Amino acid sequence: MASEAPNLNSHRLCPRMGERPSLLSLCTNALASTIIGGKYELHHISELPSDLYDDLLLCLTPSALQELQDELVSYLRLRNCCARDPLTSNTNENVRKRARFDESFGHRSEGKFPLTGDDFLIQLDNSFSMAWKALLKARWPQGGKQVQWIDSMLMQDSKGNSEDASNWQQMYWEAHLQHCLDEAAAQALLPNFQGCIGDITLLVPMEHTGSKMGIPSTSYDRSKLSYNCQQYGRYARFVKLQNVLCVEETCNLLRDSRLQGIVFRGIKSRNHVDGARKLLNQNVTTLLSLEFIHCKLSASALNDISYSLYDKGNPMHGIQHLSIKSSSFFMGNTTFPFGFLSFLLSGRSLYSLNICDSGLEFKFAQTLLDMIHDSKSSLSAHEPSVNKIPGCSANGRLLPCFLSSSGVDYSLKELRVLNLRGNNLGTEHAECLKYLLIHTPQLQSLDISENPIGDDGIGILVPSFKEASERPCPLVDIKVDNCDLSSVGATQFLDIFSTSCGHLTALSIAYNYLGSRAVIPLGNFLEASCIRRLDIEAIGLDCSGLTDFAKALPSNLELAHINLSKNRGGIGTSTFVSQLILRSPDLLSVDASYNFVPQESLPLIHAALRQSKGKLKRLDLTGNPGLCQSKIASMFDEFQNMGEPVVLFPSSPIPRVSYDDDP
């Protein structure tokens, strides 16, 4: 069921309680009601003073705003064309009348709003854009999180340039259409559903779906999915489809869309495959991103989907981002799907490939990387995490799936992000990981967390880490969480970066029990590096360790984010945090949760916040049961960031259960 929509007609001209409405606000609201009812004349609207449009448009419902924009802009463009023709004297006279009318209100002298011609149309478009932005924020007040479901990578080209996302009208109707598709899928999944997808009645407020709201219509029903797809399908660029919507009828409903990205969820049956194939082929010239989640397809079904991604007469496809998550594409297949291999071979534009938790066995992974090597695509991200790829040992040397059987996989030369999290890689695999680092000159981010590499393994990798961080395209982000490291291995790791001129900006060594012996190496590392993000969660520093760490901090840090939660720091946490705040002018966030911080240590943090002139936006002290009293939190009310408190306290007492962070 759709959630109740907010009142989209609330407007800043509406008087507050006890205030008398102005004549201007009364007239603006009356005119808005007329437009919403569909009983207006375009030439009357077009003769309004220029600066009244901003207020008027903000009073309209989405449907009324849509219709007015379509009709008024077309009308003004036609009038401008006629104004350039000397034979259209009547229209020229109307333009001159409008200029004199605006001058009488002082607009011409102020220069605030161009009055006629193409300049006026540009300003009018800006007014409509701001109205659409206000509607979007009103309907999705959580910062548009429901709208921005596409990963940020999908909004960038292969060079990392962000796409302009200022078309608020398109964003609004795309989000509205996704809302309609989600609600239709929920109804179609019910056991008693019968009938056509397009005939599903949506529980969407009428102001979102109709046009000329005051005029009843028997030719169509604005609450039907078919109407919404027909009216607003042209605005959709990215859609998410449940399996129940992967049918031929949905393709017809979205025939006016020019989709750039599609996410399929739960595709399993042959009917789902056929519907997906048709939709893909229908958008083959515009499609850039494709994602499958919780799908289960046979080799033949995967081949059919791959073949549908080619435009007629073009042996190459245009897909840039391919993601397969939590899907059974390869289980039970004795051979790799030939159609999918051909798809990879023709992927000249393929920029990122993400295959996670999809039953990708070693032989298929090796074949996959062979094909990427042969295709010479510009692959930049490959994340085979949680795919049960243990590697294959031969003569004591690991030959993982990431190396082509024909030699060094040259696609690795373009690899930017490598995620090997949770693949059961041990010390015996460190040499192979070192080999990978040597042959990935563009690698910027490496995650080998949750692998039992140990101190010996990290010792083998340390020289390669140093070399990689000093390359022209340096390794800047390393994650070695939960890798069975002790203070010995961590010290060796940190000392390398303390003596090099590397460009490491993000490091995570969380969930390795290092103890207080790691304090001095950490201090030296912070003094020598340009680190911006540090994660030392649950490394066993305890109270004395954090106190010593505070003394070892350099006088000027470049840190922006640090996580030191779950270290049993006690009062030492406050000592460390206060010194960190004073010595890090660019510090934005600190996570000090679950550290048994006592109440009496808070004045130290309060004094540091007052003394500091930094940019701290968030200090997380949740999970500390001694800080639940409201009088403690009130001490920090003066520290705000955009209306939100900077310091976060636990909202209620935490059950007295000991936290066990022993390894």
Side-chain angles (χ1 to χ4, degrees), residues 436-455:
L436 280 174
L437 287 172
I438 294 173
H439 292 284
T440 51
Q442 303 294 321
L443 191 66
Q444 297 178 2
S445 177
L446 175 66
D447 187 350
I448 54 174
S449 302
E450 299 179 17
N451 290 295
I453 294 173
D455 292 345

Side-chain angles (χ1 to χ4, degrees), residues 564-581:
L564 57 121
S565 61
K566 302 177 184 177
N567 272 293
R568 296 177 176 265
I571 196 169
T573 305
S574 300
T575 304
F576 177 79
V577 169
S578 61
Q579 290 299 312
L580 188 68
I581 292 172

